[in-house]
Every structure is written in structure tokens, then in C-alpha cells.
Amino acid sequence: MGQTIIEKIISNHSSKKARAGDIAIVDVDLVMATDTTGPLTIKAFENMGGKKVWDSDKMILVIDHASPAPNEGIAVLHDLMREFANEQGIKLYDVGDGICHQLIMDNHHVKPGQLVLGADSHTCTYGAVGAFATGVGSTDLAGVMLTGKTWIKVPETIKINLTGKLQKGVTAKDLILHLVGRFGIQGATYQAIEFTGEVIEKMSLDSRMVIANMVIEMGAKAGLVDLKGLELPYKYDPVKADPDAHYVKTIEIDVSQLETQIAVPHSPDNIKGISEIEDITIQQAFIGSCTNGRLEDLHAAADILEGKKIHPNVRLIIAPASRKVFQDALSDGTVEVLSAAGATFLPAGCGPCVGTHQGIPGNNENIASSTNRNFQGRMGNRNSNIYLGSPAFVASAALKGKITNPKRRLSI
Amino acid sequence: MIIKGKAHVYGDNIDTDRIIPGKYTKTLDMQQLANHVLEDIDPDFHKIVQPGDILVAGENFGCGSSREQAPLALKSAGISLVVAHSFARIFFRNAINIGLPLIELRKYDIKSADTLEINIKTGVVNNINNGESYQGAQMPDVMVKILNENGLVKYLKNHKSYS
């Protein structure tokens, strides 16, 4: 029997042919930690007796989760990371450079067919370029820093074939939210997902990243997006599944009838169609995060807000996914459009999404957000309600002051 | 290894944000983590938990973030073991790596304040209060090895590599 992409990638990184269910000891191509997970990783590495990391060129540190430091305690942790990076000769992205996953992708630290571990659950984003990338904790990562290896249980793979054409205003975010709702928050636990089909082939890299990013919201270990139709600025040999590879499930979905999808409080799998929940009043709107803080996302918001003002009772907060995203949006006029509409820009980073600082909601407030999780307290206040959707959804909500179908706001 | 302790029972899909909110994760002070563990579900939890107590939950415990602060917060607060119907993948691995034992148990009748006696090796959970006994799932060998050495830090300090 043939192998799935994931079985092939793991086989290529270990001494034997991997099959779903096996435990494999694998060589790792890249590890990444942030300021949430990095300090604990460094401490664990030192406690393991680590002196020098196995390969300083294969490690990236990023200060993005509480950046710039909102208090003295966090500033000290940032310094610990800088000091370690300097001593070990490790590349560190500092305050304002951007969100780890965006930087790893934009700077080509990850390539198709590689095996990457990151101490952040959304590391699965790199499946957008066909890498097996998954999130681990700090101690696990420290183990790789010491040995260059880790152990992996080879996951089964679910194949999802997406056909048809997305309606105007319906995006990759709506598609992945629909799938999270359909599978449930633990529907793909311990499994990998391969995405294929004509819908994927027409998608930009930005949109493919949205799909891969949120597979963790179904519990999946990795989400591999077909490379068809994607142009990358370097040469690579794509890893392809064998024709007789075994899939635990194959699902066909025609996306043509899909309407805007929203995850309502307090779980990302609590999905409703926009028509079911229109008219809920919102106080805050947030566009950003490793899910939807890219140029394509700022453009979607600007399409809706150009020449208009957001509702007077709404705060619209935007944190670009990276400095490059901000600069591109600045030079093409997007920042001006959004700022004129009433948006407040934050430095590139994760802040509001993870409730660390900036944009903490008040009591009993509703937030329209382009992020990935709406768990209770996620944005820093348990007495608030987060509605997840696409940037077009967030911009529409900011404009009207309540949840509304973005389709109506688009100039068609 | 036998663990005996008092149960605290909670529900399904308890995510890492509710185990330890993101705003408290940026610290290396374990007591700071313990002071805020589970506070969005039960603000008094950190006051009532006693060293050796056992946390009991439903489906998909620990879903969400990869933050290792989640199992660390539970362990630092005194939790000696977590029982759940199922665990999220990253949380499961993190807990073993920091030396917090877990038992996956599909069905149980356990109420808060019941006393449990658990054999980590066999996965058998005894509820002393109602006299019932339940068979939990066995862990992969690699995890048992790591857990037996009280976590991955000591395991790699001793062995220098995975085998």
C-alpha cells in the first residue's frame, strides 16, 4: 500500500518507512519559539544540561505575543531571549517584526516537504506550503534543541476535496470555519488533513495559510494544502501522495452555496451562518493575528470601509501580521483608507488575539474578530463575547455597529 | 505507582485559555501560574485545591494553545494527576513532558470530593466513595518512559537522546 504525504515526509526524516500509528524518531528541519513559550524552552534546555543548541541555523526565536513589552516582568523575559539568541547565534525577530508564522513563511524559513516543530499551536500554518509542521510545548522543543530529533506518532490522514466556487464576500476563513463546525473541536484529533481541489488551486498563499492555520481548531496535528496553482520563488520537489495511499476518510465538499460563517461564543466550532445571527450589537472589532492579519485581509477591510466611517460606538483595532504587511499596506494606500475610516493601528504582533495587552474588551462587550479562537477569556476578559469571522465580516460589523452580512457592504 | 487524592470534577472541552489565561503565561514563576489556574471557570479553585488532589474532566481536556504553562499551572497548584474522557494532543504531550500523569478514561462515576486511588502503570482508577473501579487507557511506551523519569528534562539529562 502507498503512503500519504505525511507518511512520506516522516519517512524522509526517519530511518524507517512510516505508517499511520507508528512511533517514529525524526530529524527536525526547523524549530521556533515565541515569547510565550521561548523563556520556558530556554530554561528547560539549560536544565537538560544543554550548552550549545544542535544547530543554531535551524532555530528561530520571535518576540510577538506581548510586543513591545507591556510591563517589566515581560521585558525581562524578552531580554532572556535576546541574550540566549546572541550567545547561541540564533536568529531572533524582535519587537514589531511581526507574528512568528508570518515571518517564518515570508522569509522562507520553511519549504515544502520539511518537518517543523514550533512552540505555538498555530505552527500548522506552514502546511500551506506542504510542510509537516505542528505545535508542541516548550520542553518538547528544548529536547529538539538538544538532540535535533523528537518522537512523533505518525497520524492518519483525512482528505478533503473542495469543489465549486466561493460566492462574493465568502473567503478561506468562512471555509475553514465551516469545516471546524462540521468536524467539531476534537473531530480530527491526532490526525492530519490533506486539502485538495479546484477551490484550493485558485487560492492565494495568504488564503491557503488561513486554511492550514485553523486545522488545530479541529484538534488536527497538521493540515497540508495541495501545492497546485501556487507559485513559490524557489525550486522544490513536491512530496506527493501515492495513488493507493490510505485515507481514514475522504470528504467531497461543494462550496458554492456557502454563506459567511461565524463562530459564536465560546468555541471555534460553534458555527452559525451569518443569516442566523445578524443584528447582534458589537463594541469592538479586531483585524489581525496569524489567521487573518495579512495584506489580503487589510485589502478586504479597506474595500468595505473606503470613504466611510466606522460606527461611533465601535473601536476598530488592526494589528498587521508583520512589519512588511504594514509597509505594503502603507505604500498602496490601505493604511490611509482604514485610518481615515477610524481604525486604530497596533504594532505587528499577537497582543489582542491572546489577551496579553492592547484591545482587552470591557465587561459584557461583544467583539467581531478575525482571529482563531473565541474561548471564554481568550482576549483577556472572561465577561466578553468573541464572534470569529473573516476580515470582511469584521469590517462590515465595525461599519454598522452590529453583525451584518459583508456581502451587502461590497460594491458588486 | 499509586496516587490517592480528592477529585475536582469539571466538564468537557476545557481549553488552555481557561486552564491558564494568556495574560498570566508570560512568567517563569510557577506560583504565579498556580494562583490563576482555572480561574475563569472557578475563581476559588486555587484556594480549595490541596497538594495531591486529582482533576477530573470530560472530553478534549486541554484543547487550544501549545502553552506548557497549562499543565505546569495545574501541577504547581498541587494537582497530582488528571483524569479525562479524552485529551487534546499537545496538552497530553506537554503534561507527560513535565511529569504530570494523565489517565484517559471513557466512562466513570466520579463526583467532586470523592477520593480516588489510581495505579498509573495499570491505568486502574478506584473510586473509594462508591466502591467502583474503572479501567483507563494505556499510554505509549515512549510516554511511560518519560513519565517514569518525572518528565523530559530529567529523561534527556540522563539519556542525552531519544531511543
Side-chain angles (χ1 to χ4, degrees):
Chain A
M1 198 204 306
Q3 288 182 297
T4 62
I5 296 176
I6 210 95
E7 287 169 334
K8 281 195 177 176
I9 295 177
I10 294 173
S11 298
N12 291 344
H13 289 81
S14 68
S15 55
K16 20 178 212 200
K17 196 167 179 180
R19 289 275 173 213
D22 291 351
I23 301 277
I25 308 282
V26 291
D27 293 316
V28 177
D29 293 313
L30 184 77
V31 294
M32 184 279 297
T34 72
D35 50 334
T36 290
T37 53
L40 270 175
T41 305
I42 293 165
K43 198 178 153 200
F45 174 75
E46 289 169 352
N47 289 341
M48 284 169 182
K51 301 278 181 237
K52 183 78 193 140
V53 299
W54 108 102
D55 186 341
S56 55
D57 291 336
K58 293 184 175 174
M59 172 145 201
I60 305 281
L61 290 170
V62 186
I63 292 175
D64 59 359
H65 274 60
S67 158
N71 60 48
E72 186 185 344
I74 293 176
V76 168
L77 295 179
H78 287 176
D79 275 347
L80 172 75
M81 290 175 72
R82 292 185 190 107
E83 202 177 309
F84 185 78
N86 270 335
E87 278 169 16
Q88 299 276 339
I90 291 166
K91 171 74 185 167
L92 177 137
Y93 289 101
D94 214 315
V95 169
D97 285 339
I99 300 174
C100 53
H101 308 308
Q102 189 67 26
L103 294 166
I104 297 273
M105 292 285 283
D106 274 359
N107 295 301
H108 311 306
H109 292 298
V110 57
K111 303 230 164 68
Q114 288 191 330
L115 194 155
V116 183
L117 297 185
D120 185 280
S121 62
H122 291 101
T123 301
C124 48
T125 307
Y126 320 151
V129 288
F132 169 41
T134 197
V136 294
S138 299
T139 303
D140 247 336
L141 206 77
V144 186
M145 281 163 59
L146 192 74
T147 65
K149 294 176 192 292
T150 195
W151 68 273
I152 279 173
K153 188 173 179 188
V154 184
E156 293 171 322
T157 302
I158 299 168
K159 189 173 186 172
I160 300 179
N161 189 39
L162 299 162
T163 58
K165 192 169 181 264
L166 288 169
Q167 292 178 33
K168 182 103 181 161
V170 180
T171 66
K173 180 63 163 290
D174 301 293
L175 192 48
I176 190 67
L177 285 175
H178 172 72
L179 290 169
V180 172
R182 190 163 161 160
F183 276 80
I185 197 164
Q186 61 172 339
T189 301
Y190 294 102
Q191 293 172 325
I193 305 175
E194 272 182 37
F195 296 93
T196 62
E198 58 186 342
V199 180
I200 296 288
E201 286 165 33
K202 288 178 196 141
M203 267 185 195
S204 65
L205 179 58
D206 282 8
S207 288
R208 291 171 194 235
M209 285 168 73
V210 179
I211 303 273
N213 176 275
M214 283 190 73
V215 298
I216 181 67
E217 267 60 68
M218 308 179 227
K221 195 167 201 166
L224 290 132
V225 183
D226 198 326
L227 290 164
K228 262 187 216 155
L230 184 67
E231 280 188 33
L232 290 170
Y234 50 79
K235 285 195 174 154
Y236 62 92
D237 284 325
V239 179
K240 288 185 180 158
D242 290 323
D244 57 344
H246 174 72
Y247 294 94
V248 64
K249 230 182 272 180
T250 301
I251 298 166
E252 301 279 336
I253 299 175
D254 183 337
V255 304
S256 307
Q257 299 305 313
L258 193 69
E259 65 168 340
T260 294
Q261 304 283 292
I262 309 299
V264 306
H266 293 291
S267 183
D269 66 346
N270 209 355
I271 302 296
K272 306 268 185 215
I274 187 85
S275 50
E276 292 176 74
I277 59 151
E278 269 195 282
D279 294 335
I280 290 171
T281 304
I282 64 146
Q283 288 76 35
Q284 181 163 301
F286 176 59
I287 296 173
S289 82
C290 58
T291 311
N292 279 114
R294 287 176 272 280
L295 192 61
E296 181 175 281
D297 303 318
L298 302 192
H299 285 168
D303 276 352
I304 286 167
L305 294 172
E306 184 156 22
K308 303 189 179 86
K309 293 274 182 209
I310 58 168
H311 192 277
N313 297 344
V314 174
R315 313 175 291 273
L316 171 60
I317 296 167
I318 301 179
S322 68
R323 179 179 283 113
K324 183 174 184 304
V325 168
F326 181 68
Q327 287 172 341
D328 288 348
L330 198 60
S331 58
D332 72 9
T334 304
V335 169
E336 195 181 345
V337 166
L338 294 170
S339 178
T344 301
F345 275 83
L346 300 185
C350 311
C353 173
V354 73
T356 311
H357 68 136
Q358 300 180 314
I360 311 291
N363 285 336
N364 304 315
E365 288 193 336
N366 295 324
I367 303 105
S369 175
S370 77
T371 58
N372 40 54
R373 290 187 177 137
N374 59 347
F375 295 136
Q376 189 178 16
R378 170 74 177 178
M379 293 182 93
N381 183 348
R382 72 187 296 270
N383 301 310
S384 62
N385 301 302
I386 307 166
Y387 293 82
L388 303 179
S390 69
F393 152 74
V394 177
S396 308
L399 188 61
K400 206 177 173 202
K402 48 176 99 168
I403 290 176
T404 181
N405 193 334
K407 207 168 162 180
R408 278 187 224 120
R409 309 281 143 196
L410 289 165
S411 45
I412 303 171
Chain B
M1 189 163 132
I2 307 286
I3 286 180
K4 193 172 174 182
K6 195 177 75 174
H8 299 268
V9 183
Y10 294 94
D12 291 336
N13 296 312
I14 294 173
D15 55 81
T16 47
D17 281 279
R18 285 191 292 170
I19 297 171
I20 185 77
K23 60 192 167 190
Y24 304 122
T25 54
K26 278 88 185 158
T27 180
L28 294 172
D29 177 356
M30 297 302 129
Q31 190 55 47
Q32 174 77 3
L33 296 178
N35 290 346
H36 296 287
V37 66
L38 294 174
E39 75 173 20
D40 281 349
I41 297 177
D42 182 352
D44 292 328
F45 181 79
H46 76 280
K47 292 184 210 151
I48 56 172
V49 67
Q50 297 289 323
D53 284 359
I54 293 165
L55 194 77
V56 179
E59 297 291 340
N60 201 26
F61 185 78
C63 59
S65 166
S66 69
R67 66 184 67 145
E68 197 168 281
Q69 289 88 341
L72 279 171
L74 292 167
K75 194 181 177 187
S76 304
I79 292 293
S80 60
L81 182 141
V82 185
V83 175
H85 289 324
S86 64
F87 291 93
R89 182 181 53 79
I90 306 175
F91 179 88
F92 195 102
R93 223 176 137 121
N94 282 345
I96 302 298
N97 283 341
I98 63 143
L100 174 66
L102 309 171
I103 299 282
E104 201 170 71
L105 190 61
R106 289 311 309 168
K107 281 180 115 177
Y108 58 70
D109 177 15
I110 299 169
K111 295 179 179 62
S112 277
D114 282 356
T115 299
L116 307 179
E117 194 176 75
I118 297 164
N119 185 325
I120 294 176
K121 197 172 174 200
T122 61
V124 171
V125 177
N126 292 315
N127 185 340
I128 305 294
N129 289 64
N130 66 11
E132 288 185 10
S133 183
Y134 319 100
Q135 178 64 57
Q138 299 276 341
M139 277 184 266
D141 284 351
V142 61
M143 285 194 155
V144 175
K145 276 191 210 164
I146 292 168
L147 200 53
N148 281 342
E149 302 203 25
N150 198 27
L152 189 64
V153 166
K154 291 208 175 111
Y155 178 90
L156 282 177
K157 197 172 181 183
N158 293 339
H159 300 279
K160 309 291 176 210
S161 68
Y162 295 91
S163 56

